[in-house]
Amino acid sequence: VKNALSRVMILKDLRRDQVICRQGDQPDDYFICVSGKLGVRIRDPKDPEVTILVNHMGPGTAFGELGLIFRQKRSATVFAEEPSSVLQVHGEDFRAIGIANFHLKYLQEKYDAFIRTGVFDAWTDENLTKLATVAQKKIFASGTCIIQQGQVSKIF
């Protein structure tokens, strides 16, 4: 997979505020952030003219796979918050190389982890799958403070 990827990836430099993909567009590419900082915006469900910044992504973050795997329109707009670089893989190459299988396996692992906790026993499969698609795995070094009592958390 690594050799195949190295032949089809395109390094794309982005200027500040440049849009990489737009919410509602058909998915055509998969991306990996190489450098910089990317923002993720969605339309406000109460006012489609307003957007809400819902996430930031940095180097090593991959995105765009869900639209390609499930053949769904883009769920968010991603843009460069500062000069950034991304690796771009066209959808046909994404499918041909088998990256979709990797992401489906990773999605299944997150889904299974939610099931094992027992916290989500009352949730439907559909809602658990939705949670697994947006959840990101984070690993913290031993002794790292993740959240302090009384602090408002930005993560779940």
Side-chain angles (χ1 to χ4, degrees):
V1 171
K2 289 179 185 177
N3 289 335
L5 261 177
S6 68
R7 290 190 295 275
V8 298
M9 290 187 295
I10 301 164
L11 181 63
K12 196 172 181 182
D13 291 321
L14 308 166
R15 65 186 182 288
R16 181 185 161 103
D17 295 326
Q18 184 174 347
V19 172
I20 302 159
C21 58
R22 289 192 189 284
Q23 183 177 359
D25 284 356
Q26 291 296 327
D28 47 8
D29 297 315
Y30 167 74
F31 301 92
I32 303 167
C33 181
V34 176
S35 66
K37 185 177 175 185
L38 307 176
V40 181
R41 291 189 173 277
I42 61 169
R43 286 186 207 103
D44 185 334
K46 297 174 187 161
D47 183 355
E49 299 299 316
V50 176
T51 60
I52 304 166
L53 183 65
V54 294
N55 199 6
H56 303 280
M57 296 185 287
T61 306
F63 60 98
E65 72 280 2
L66 296 176
L68 292 169
I69 291 170
F70 297 117
R71 300 184 190 275
Q72 298 172 338
K73 291 182 179 180
R74 296 283 187 206
S75 59
T77 296
V78 179
F79 66 98
E81 291 188 292
E82 60 187 39
S84 304
S85 295
V86 296
L87 291 170
Q88 179 179 13
V89 178
H90 293 297
E92 307 83 45
D93 295 323
F94 175 87
R95 288 182 192 88
I97 293 171
I99 304 169
N101 294 335
F102 166 80
H103 281 287
L104 283 171
K105 181 180 177 227
Y106 187 57
L107 183 67
Q108 185 66 48
E109 288 171 1
K110 291 189 287 184
Y111 180 94
D112 292 343
F114 296 144
I115 295 290
R116 283 192 305 273
T117 68
V119 173
F120 304 99
D121 287 349
W123 286 38
T124 64
D125 284 340
E126 181 181 359
N127 286 335
L128 273 175
T129 300
K130 286 180 182 178
L131 179 61
T133 61
V134 297
Q136 296 177 3
K137 182 179 178 180
K138 301 275 186 185
I139 298 173
F140 297 94
S142 179
T144 300
C145 179
I146 299 169
I147 187 170
Q148 292 181 340
Q149 184 175 357
Q151 178 186 29
V152 175
S153 178
K154 295 182 181 179
I155 60 173
F156 165 73

Coordinates of all heavy atoms in Angstrom, one line a residue, residues 11 20 35-36 92 95 115 140 149:
L11 N 1.5 16.3 -3.7 CA 1.7 17.3 -2.6 C 1.1 18.6 -3.1 O 1.4 19.1 -4.1 CB 3.2 17.5 -2.3 CG 3.5 18.5 -1.2 CD1 2.9 18.0 0.2 CD2 5.0 18.6 -1.0
I20 N -10.2 23.3 0.7 CA -9.8 22.1 0.2 C -11.0 21.3 -0.3 O -10.9 20.7 -1.4 CB -9.0 21.3 1.3 CG1 -7.8 22.1 1.8 CG2 -8.6 19.9 0.8 CD1 -7.3 21.7 3.1
S35 N 1.6 19.6 6.8 CA 2.0 20.7 7.6 C 1.0 21.7 7.7 O 0.1 21.8 6.9 CB 3.3 21.3 7.0 OG 3.0 21.9 5.8
G36 N 1.1 22.6 8.7 CA 0.1 23.7 8.9 C -1.0 23.3 9.8 O -1.0 22.3 10.6
E92 N -10.3 7.4 -7.2 CA -10.1 6.1 -7.9 C -8.9 5.4 -7.4 O -8.9 4.1 -7.2 CB -9.9 6.3 -9.4 CG -11.0 7.1 -10.1 CD -10.8 8.7 -10.0 OE1 -9.7 9.2 -10.2 OE2 -11.8 9.3 -9.7
R95 N -9.6 3.9 -3.9 CA -10.3 2.6 -3.9 C -9.4 1.5 -4.4 O -9.4 0.4 -3.9 CB -11.5 2.7 -4.8 CG -12.6 3.5 -4.1 CD -13.9 3.6 -5.0 NE -14.8 4.6 -4.5 CZ -14.8 5.9 -4.9 NH1 -13.9 6.3 -5.7 NH2 -15.7 6.7 -4.3
I115 N -18.7 -0.4 22.1 CA -19.6 -1.5 22.6 C -19.0 -2.0 23.9 O -19.7 -2.3 24.8 CB -19.6 -2.6 21.5 CG1 -20.3 -2.1 20.2 CG2 -20.3 -3.8 22.0 CD1 -21.8 -1.8 20.4
F140 N -2.3 9.4 25.1 CA -1.7 10.4 26.0 C -0.6 9.7 26.7 O -0.7 8.5 27.2 CB -2.7 10.9 27.0 CG -3.8 11.7 26.3 CD1 -5.0 11.1 26.0 CD2 -3.6 13.1 26.0 CE1 -6.0 11.9 25.4 CE2 -4.6 13.8 25.5 CZ -5.8 13.2 25.1
Q149 N -10.3 19.3 36.9 CA -11.6 19.5 37.5 C -12.0 21.0 37.4 O -11.2 21.8 37.6 CB -11.6 19.1 39.0 CG -13.0 19.2 39.6 CD -13.0 18.6 41.0 OE1 -12.0 18.1 41.5 NE2 -14.1 18.7 41.7

